[in-house]
Amino acid sequence: MAATQSYKLGLTAKILIGMGAGVLFGLLLRNLFPGSEFIQDYITDGFLHVIGTIFISSLKMLVVPLVFISLVCGTCSLSDPAKLGRLGGKTIAFYLFTTAIALSLAILTAVLIHPGNASMVTENMQYSAGDAPSLAEVLIGIVPTNPMKAMSDGNMLQIIIFAVIFGFAISHVGSKGKRVAALFEDLNEVIMRVVTLIMLMAPYGVFALMGKLALTLGLETFGSVVKYFFVVLAVLFVHAFLVYPILLKLFSGLSPLTFIRKMRDVQLFAFSTASSNATLPVTIETAEHRLGVDNKIAAFTLPLGATINMDGTAIMQGVATVFIAQVFGIELTITDYIAVVVTATLASIGTAGVPGVGLIMLAMVLNQVGLPVEGIALIIGVDRLLDMVRTAVNVTGDTVATVIIAKSEGEFNEATFMDPKAGKATLEEAAADLTGHKG
C-alpha cells in the first residue's frame, strides 16, 4: 500500500519537477560560481554528465531489442501480405503528408514574419555539411547484409526490414512457428516491463540532463537569431497543438484533448533526450497501454516514424531556408519554395538513420535552391534547444499517425483510449516491484 501511496504524485508531475529543479540547479551554480573549474569538472562533466548519460543509455539499450521483438510479434499476426503492404503504404503516405504540411506552414510563416535581414554579419562563416547518401545507396542500404551488425550499429531501417521478414516467416511455418511466436510474445511482455521500470527513473535522469543544459548553454549564442528562434518555436507549437489535433479529429473522430493529455510523458521524455529513438520505448508503451493501439500496429508504425518522420526537423528547415535567403539578400521564387517542400519531404526518407540528419537535410535543401550552405553557421548555436522541442513534435506526429492508422485498420481499443487510468496500473506495479511491496 505504501508504494501505491508514494506514487500518487504521478510520473508527469515528477518529470516536470525534475526538469524545473535541474534548470534551477544549473542556473544557480552558473551564477554563484561563474567560470569555476571545479563545477565544470565535477558537476557539469562529472555528476550531471554521468547520471544523464546513464539515463539516455538505459533508454537506448532497449531500442533495438524492443523494436525487433515488437515488430516480430506484430508481423506474426499480419501474415497477409496485402494487409502488411497496405499498412506500410498508409504509414509512409501519412508521414510524407504531414511533413509536407509542416514545411509549407514553416515557409509561409517565415515569409510573412521575415526573421532574417541582410544587416546580419555573414563574413567568415563556415559550415561543412556531411554528404547525404544517393538514392541507390539508400535502396541498397535498407537490406542488412548482417542482421547482427545492423542491431549492433542501431541501424533502424535494416532492423525493421529484417524483423518484418523474420516475423512473416514465423507466421508461415505452422506449429513450429506458433511456438516461436509464443516465445516472442513472452519476451515482449518482459521488455515492456523493463520499459516501465526505467520510466520510474526518469525524473532523476531529466534533472541531470536539464541541469547540464542550464550550465552549458550560453544566452550569448542567441544574438541576432532570436527572431528566427521564436519563429521556429511558434510553428512547432502550432503544428503540435493545432495541426495534429485537427488531423486526429478529422481522420479518427477521437478527442485531441484526451490524446494530448496521455502524450505528456512521451513529449517530456522526447524534450529531455532530444532523440526520437531514445524515446521509442516510452512511445510504444504509451501507444499500446495508454492509447489503446494494438501491438501489431504500434510495433510497425512507431519505429518507422522514429526513423523517417521528421516534421519538427522539416519546420526548422523551412524557416531556416527562408531565414538564410533573407540574410544573404537572395529572392526565392514560388518554384524555389515548391522545390524546398518536395526536396525536404523526400529527403526525410532518403537520409533516415544518417548522423546529424537534420543539418544534412538542410544542406541538401539549400543546395537545391542555390543558397550558401555556410548560412547554417548562423543558426547552429540555438539548434540544441530547438532540437529538443522538435523531437517532442516528431514523436507526437508518430503517435498521431499510429492512432489514426490503428483506428482505420480496426486494431484500436477505444475504451483504453478513453480510460484516464489506462496504463497507470503497470507503472504502480513496477514501483511496487522496486520497493519490494505489493498492494
Side-chain angles (χ1 to χ4, degrees):
M1 191 68 180
T4 304
Q5 288 176 343
S6 68
Y7 195 74
K8 282 184 177 179
L9 190 59
L11 183 64
T12 302
K14 289 181 178 180
I15 292 175
L16 286 172
I17 291 170
M19 290 177 70
V23 171
L24 288 174
F25 179 72
L27 291 176
L28 187 64
L29 290 182
R30 181 172 180 156
N31 285 283
L32 289 176
F33 309 101
S36 169
E37 291 186 7
F38 177 85
I39 296 296
Q40 178 68 37
D41 293 341
Y42 293 98
I43 304 297
T44 307
D45 295 334
F47 172 71
L48 295 178
H49 175 71
V50 169
I51 299 298
T53 303
I54 288 174
F55 174 61
I56 295 291
S57 298
S58 66
L59 286 170
K60 289 184 175 181
M61 168 185 72
L62 296 176
V63 172
V64 170
L66 176 63
V67 169
F68 180 69
I69 292 169
S70 295
L71 262 176
V72 169
C73 290
T75 311
C76 284
S77 54
L78 288 173
S79 55
D80 181 7
K83 186 170 184 178
L84 188 60
R86 183 175 70 248
L87 180 61
K90 279 184 180 180
T91 303
I92 293 173
F94 191 88
Y95 286 150
L96 292 177
F97 173 63
T98 58
T99 301
I101 291 176
L103 275 161
S104 302
L105 181 63
I107 290 171
L108 179 62
T109 305
V111 169
L112 292 175
I113 296 180
H114 208 282
N117 63 76
S119 65
M120 293 180 182
V121 178
T122 57
E123 295 179 2
N124 302 320
M125 289 193 306
Q126 292 184 343
Y127 178 78
S128 178
D131 294 328
S134 66
L135 179 60
E137 289 173 329
V138 171
L139 293 176
I140 292 170
I142 63 174
V143 180
T145 55
N146 184 342
M148 296 302 107
K149 186 177 186 302
M151 293 180 186
S152 175
D153 295 342
N155 189 318
M156 295 307 297
L157 278 179
Q158 292 188 354
I159 294 168
I160 291 169
I161 292 296
F162 178 67
V164 168
I165 294 171
F166 192 76
F168 189 76
I170 289 174
S171 67
H172 285 78
V173 292
S175 59
K176 294 179 181 179
K178 289 179 181 178
R179 291 198 297 271
V180 176
L183 172 63
F184 271 89
E185 291 289 347
D186 292 341
L187 288 172
N188 193 48
E189 288 294 321
V190 173
I191 201 75
M192 293 308 293
R193 174 49 65 95
V194 178
V195 172
T196 59
L197 289 172
I198 288 178
M199 286 173 69
L200 295 173
M201 303 297 105
Y204 310 102
V206 167
F207 169 85
L209 291 170
M210 298 307 292
K212 183 180 179 182
L213 182 68
L215 278 164
T216 55
L217 186 67
L219 293 178
E220 63 275 5
T221 58
F222 281 77
S224 57
V225 297
V226 65
K227 196 172 181 181
Y228 158 83
F229 176 85
F230 283 108
V231 169
V232 175
L233 201 61
V235 180
L236 287 169
F237 273 88
V238 167
H239 196 67
F241 298 109
L242 185 62
V243 174
Y244 285 146
I246 289 173
L247 292 176
L248 181 69
K249 188 68 176 177
L250 186 65
F251 289 110
S252 72
L254 297 169
S255 167
L257 290 177
T258 300
F259 173 84
I260 291 171
R261 187 165 57 248
K262 292 195 170 190
M263 277 294 293
R264 286 179 301 193
D265 290 345
V266 179
Q267 290 169 335
L268 290 172
F269 265 85
F271 179 81
S272 303
T273 62
S275 169
S276 295
N277 279 340
T279 312
L280 191 55
V282 185
T283 314
I284 292 177
E285 198 274 345
T286 300
E288 293 183 15
H289 297 108
R290 299 275 287 144
L291 297 173
V293 177
D294 192 276
N295 171 262
K296 67 174 68 75
I297 304 297
F300 182 85
T301 58
L302 289 173
L304 191 60
T307 308
I308 70 171
N309 185 41
M310 302 176 186
D311 289 1
T313 305
I315 288 169
M316 178 273 288
Q317 291 164 355
V319 176
T321 300
V322 177
F323 173 77
I324 290 170
Q326 291 167 352
V327 169
F328 284 91
I330 299 172
E331 290 289 333
L332 296 179
T333 65
I334 294 296
T335 304
D336 291 328
Y337 289 131
I338 293 172
V340 169
V341 173
V342 173
T343 303
T345 302
L346 296 178
S348 65
I349 292 179
T351 54
V354 178
V357 63
L359 295 178
I360 288 176
M361 287 171 63
L362 179 56
M364 290 173 60
V365 170
L366 294 177
N367 281 325
Q368 180 67 31
V369 292
L371 292 174
V373 175
E374 292 77 17
I376 294 176
L378 274 172
I379 62 172
I380 203 165
V382 298
D383 196 62
R384 168 61 180 167
L385 268 180
L386 290 176
D387 190 25
M388 297 165 73
V389 181
R390 64 180 182 250
T391 303
V393 173
N394 287 343
V395 299
T396 303
D398 297 343
T399 316
V400 165
T402 298
V403 169
I404 290 172
I405 292 167
K407 190 84 161 41
S408 71
E409 291 288 324
E411 304 289 353
F412 182 77
N413 189 328
E414 194 160 345
T416 300
F417 181 85
M418 297 304 297
D419 182 2
K421 295 183 179 180
K424 290 186 176 180
T426 308
L427 280 169
E428 290 175 357
E429 289 172 11
D433 290 343
L434 282 178
T435 58
H437 297 290
K438 297 285 185 181

